[in-house]
């Protein structure tokens, strides 16, 4: 059974989420305090972490930022705030997804399952020697060790950034819309907000481009989407 850490101080909401997740054969540990939640998350024993933004002692943003310095566990952030700036902040701190209250418990379960499945395939899926190394222009990606290098200098990526880059490098010079990438990389189809893709593209550019404001590798094709340039 998958181990889920749920950091949420609203007992009724937390218990409802736990009930639905446990019905889908997941073990859920509920923590109502931010600092305690951070300590639990840093143990590395959880398969996925669900963070509410507004919790005592420490905000979900702060917890997410600290967790990303130590672990690559999928993080799903939950908030009643609907402003785009909060989504951008959450994703900027390394969250894999952002869901706005109120939401159906079934939607939460669907997102959790999607991230669990994709993380497991990314980290434990079978690899062949020919698939281990992807090289496009000056970027080298090792699918087995999950490391990325530019001019032999290692680049630190979150799990979802790595998966997005890997997908684009496997399909160089092909144009994908935000909707295409959201479905292919996040696997959530219409369940999510494609602004997630925009934020992750921006973060990738900041890490792999010489000049992120004038990208040469991760190009925007106006009106169509994005492509990884191999010219």
């Amino acid at each position: 059974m998958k181990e889920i850490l749920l950091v949420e101080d609203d007992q009724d909401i937390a218990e409802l989420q736990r009930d639905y997740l446990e019905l889908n054969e997941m073990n859920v540990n509920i923590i109502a305090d931010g600092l305690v939640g951070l300590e639990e998350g840093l143990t590395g024993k959880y398969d996925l972490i669900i963070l509410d933004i507004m919790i005592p002692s420490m905000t979900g943003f702060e917890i997410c930022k600290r967790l990303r310095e130590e672990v690559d566990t999928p993080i799903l952030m939950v908030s009643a705030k609907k402003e785009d700036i909060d989504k951008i902040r959450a994703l900027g701190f390394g969250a894999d997804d952002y869901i706005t209250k109120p939401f159906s418990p079934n939607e939460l379960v669907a997102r959790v399952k999607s991230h669990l499945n994709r993380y497991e395939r990314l980290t434990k899926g079978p690899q062949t020697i020919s698939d281990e190394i992807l090289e496009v222009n000056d970027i080298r990606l090792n699918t087995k060790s999950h490391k990325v290098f530019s001019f032999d200098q290692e680049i630190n990526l979150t799990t979802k950034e790595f998966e997005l880059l890997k997908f684009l490098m496997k399909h160089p010079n092909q144009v994908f819309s935000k909707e295409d990438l959201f479905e292919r990389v996040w696997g959530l189809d219409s369940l999510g907000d494609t602004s997630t893709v925009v934020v992750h593209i921006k973060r990738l550019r900041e890490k792999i481009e010489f000049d992120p404001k004038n990208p040469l590798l991760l190009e925007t094709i106006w009106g169509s989407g994005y492509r990884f340039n191999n010219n």
Side-chain angles (χ1 to χ4, degrees):
M1 296 179 72
K2 297 298 184 182
E3 298 292 333
I4 308 297
L5 175 62
L6 174 56
V7 186
E8 169 65 71
D9 65 325
D10 187 313
Q11 184 176 351
D12 292 337
I13 291 177
E15 290 179 352
L16 177 63
Q17 293 177 7
R18 179 195 62 197
D19 290 346
Y20 271 79
L21 291 168
E22 289 185 344
L23 282 172
N24 286 269
E25 301 182 342
M26 304 178 203
N27 288 324
V28 180
N29 182 19
I30 299 174
I31 301 293
D33 179 83
L35 285 173
V36 178
L38 173 61
E39 291 175 359
E40 272 294 304
L42 289 173
T43 63
K45 65 183 181 182
Y46 295 96
D47 298 293
L48 183 140
I49 299 170
I50 302 173
L51 293 177
D52 187 63
I53 290 180
M54 303 305 294
I55 49 179
S57 300
M58 199 174 193
T59 70
F61 292 130
E62 294 171 308
I63 297 173
C64 184
K65 182 179 179 180
R66 281 284 293 110
L67 287 173
R68 275 294 168 255
E69 295 172 357
E70 304 286 340
V71 299
D72 63 354
T73 306
I75 297 175
L76 172 59
M77 297 200 72
V78 176
S79 176
K81 295 184 175 183
K82 298 182 179 181
E83 291 81 2
D84 285 343
I85 187 61
D86 291 303
K87 294 181 182 180
I88 293 171
R89 285 187 68 193
L91 298 169
F93 283 130
D96 294 282
D97 202 359
Y98 184 103
I99 185 170
T100 304
K101 298 177 183 176
F103 53 84
S104 75
N106 287 328
E107 179 183 355
L108 176 68
V109 171
R111 293 202 187 200
V112 168
K113 283 184 174 180
S114 175
H115 287 294
L116 286 172
N117 290 338
R118 287 182 171 269
Y119 183 74
E120 187 168 357
R121 287 199 299 270
L122 178 65
T123 58
K124 299 179 182 179
Q127 302 286 346
T128 63
I129 293 177
S130 61
D131 288 336
E132 283 184 12
I133 305 297
L134 296 173
E135 291 192 63
V136 180
N137 286 330
D138 300 311
I139 304 297
R140 186 172 78 258
L141 182 148
N142 189 313
T143 62
K144 188 173 183 179
S145 66
H146 309 120
K147 292 186 176 182
V148 178
F149 298 87
S150 176
F151 294 103
D152 294 324
Q153 181 175 356
E154 186 172 356
I155 302 169
N156 293 319
L157 301 180
T158 66
T159 301
K160 198 58 66 177
E161 290 167 357
F162 180 90
E163 196 169 352
L164 177 60
L165 180 60
K166 182 177 75 171
F167 176 80
L168 290 168
M169 289 180 68
K170 280 188 172 183
H171 304 86
N173 299 325
Q174 295 185 41
V175 179
F176 296 94
S177 68
K178 294 190 295 291
E179 292 76 16
D180 288 336
L181 291 173
F182 197 85
E183 182 175 354
R184 302 283 192 94
V185 178
W186 277 259
L188 299 174
D189 196 14
S190 60
L191 287 177
D193 186 337
T194 54
S195 63
T196 299
V197 176
V198 177
V199 174
H200 278 77
I201 291 288
K202 180 177 182 293
R203 286 169 56 84
L204 273 178
R205 284 175 172 161
E206 290 171 349
K207 294 180 179 183
I208 68 173
E209 296 280 1
F210 178 75
D211 181 1
K213 293 183 179 180
N214 297 286
L216 299 177
L217 296 173
L218 237 176
E219 295 182 314
T220 297
I221 308 301
W222 296 107
S224 298
Y226 304 98
R227 73 178 175 195
F228 197 91
N229 188 16
N230 190 26
N231 295 326

